[in-house]
Amino acid sequence: MSKKETPELNASSLADIAFLLLIFFLVATTMSTDTGLARMLPPIVPPTQDDAPPIKERNVFQVMLNFKNQLLVEGEWCEISDLKEKAKEFIANPADNEKLPEKTETEIPLIGTYMVSKGVISLQNDRGSQYQAYLQVQNELQAAYNELRDELAKVKFHKSYEDCTDDEQDAIKKVYPQRISEAEPKNYKK
């Protein structure tokens, strides 16, 4: 009896093809990136025995985001689209309004003597608020600082903030230091 042998398949190129397909899908596929905030945390301050001096109410800009993604700014309901202008007015206090933050005269290299605001933006959100709404609030607050810095750069250095040198940008940051304090999220639901 003769036994018929089955022909063998040459599978040596199969691994090469699988590898090429893997490389193709890795290169051709786009990965979604997480949206986040680029923030530099403040340095660790050693504990002191003295309590921090109280901050005057006029120097704090209250921004609260509730679980329905509604915005409460300085005790009044506000649309996110209006937040940037309100924040700019608070930060700059152009008319030296007594209800807006105090200013101190400060000597700043490349700029000279300038009245710098003592204002702090206090942001607090509800645990139930959506992350996208939180990011929109953060973006509007950042945009307020960016616009003020850009306006000052155009007045003092006759160019945009982005086109300024590092020293010029540092000087502008001393005029408009970004002071955003984020309180721990709370549950406002009742």
Side-chain angles (χ1 to χ4, degrees):
M1 269 197 197
S2 82
K3 192 172 182 188
K4 209 174 193 187
E5 291 186 22
T6 54
E8 289 185 19
L9 290 174
N10 185 1
S12 62
S13 64
L14 190 60
D16 294 338
I17 293 171
F19 181 72
L20 288 173
L21 283 173
L22 177 66
I23 296 297
F24 170 76
F25 285 115
L26 284 174
V27 170
T29 305
T30 58
M31 304 292 272
S32 63
T33 57
D34 291 336
T35 307
L37 302 171
R39 292 281 185 260
M40 182 181 293
L41 297 175
I44 296 174
V45 178
T48 61
Q49 295 175 350
D50 300 335
D51 289 335
I55 297 177
K56 293 182 181 177
E57 190 174 317
R58 75 180 264 193
N59 292 337
V60 179
F61 186 68
Q62 296 280 341
V63 179
M64 300 173 88
L65 183 66
N66 71 11
F67 69 98
K68 293 181 180 178
N69 300 321
Q70 296 168 324
L71 199 58
L72 191 66
V73 176
E74 290 292 293
E76 296 178 5
W77 295 108
C78 177
E79 294 294 321
I80 290 179
S81 59
D82 298 329
L83 178 61
K84 178 176 61 173
E85 289 306 316
K86 289 185 179 216
K88 280 177 65 174
E89 182 182 358
F90 173 82
I91 296 163
N93 190 5
D96 289 328
N97 187 334
E98 291 179 3
K99 294 181 180 181
L100 295 178
E102 300 171 289
K103 294 181 176 182
T104 56
E105 194 173 296
T106 308
E107 183 65 33
I108 299 173
L110 302 176
I111 292 180
T113 303
Y114 208 89
M115 297 300 287
V116 178
S117 171
K118 291 183 177 182
V120 175
I121 296 175
S122 174
L123 174 61
Q124 190 167 21
N125 64 305
D126 185 272
R127 292 186 194 281
S129 59
Q130 292 178 342
Y131 187 66
Q132 189 61 37
Y134 171 76
L135 283 178
Q136 286 177 331
V137 169
Q138 282 281 357
N139 286 341
E140 290 300 308
L141 294 175
Q142 184 65 50
Y145 280 104
N146 290 346
E147 282 187 16
L148 286 170
R149 289 173 177 172
D150 198 52
E151 290 167 8
L152 183 62
K154 288 177 181 171
V155 169
K156 293 292 183 180
F157 304 116
H158 309 291
K159 53 188 168 183
S160 70
Y161 178 75
E162 291 297 318
D163 294 334
C164 289
T165 65
D166 290 341
D167 290 338
E168 292 168 339
Q169 286 184 359
D170 289 343
I172 292 170
K173 285 179 185 177
K174 288 179 182 173
V175 172
Y176 294 120
Q178 184 171 321
R179 295 184 184 125
I180 299 176
S181 170
E182 292 192 52
E184 185 175 332
K186 293 192 176 180
N187 291 328
Y188 294 115
K189 294 180 186 178
K190 297 207 176 187

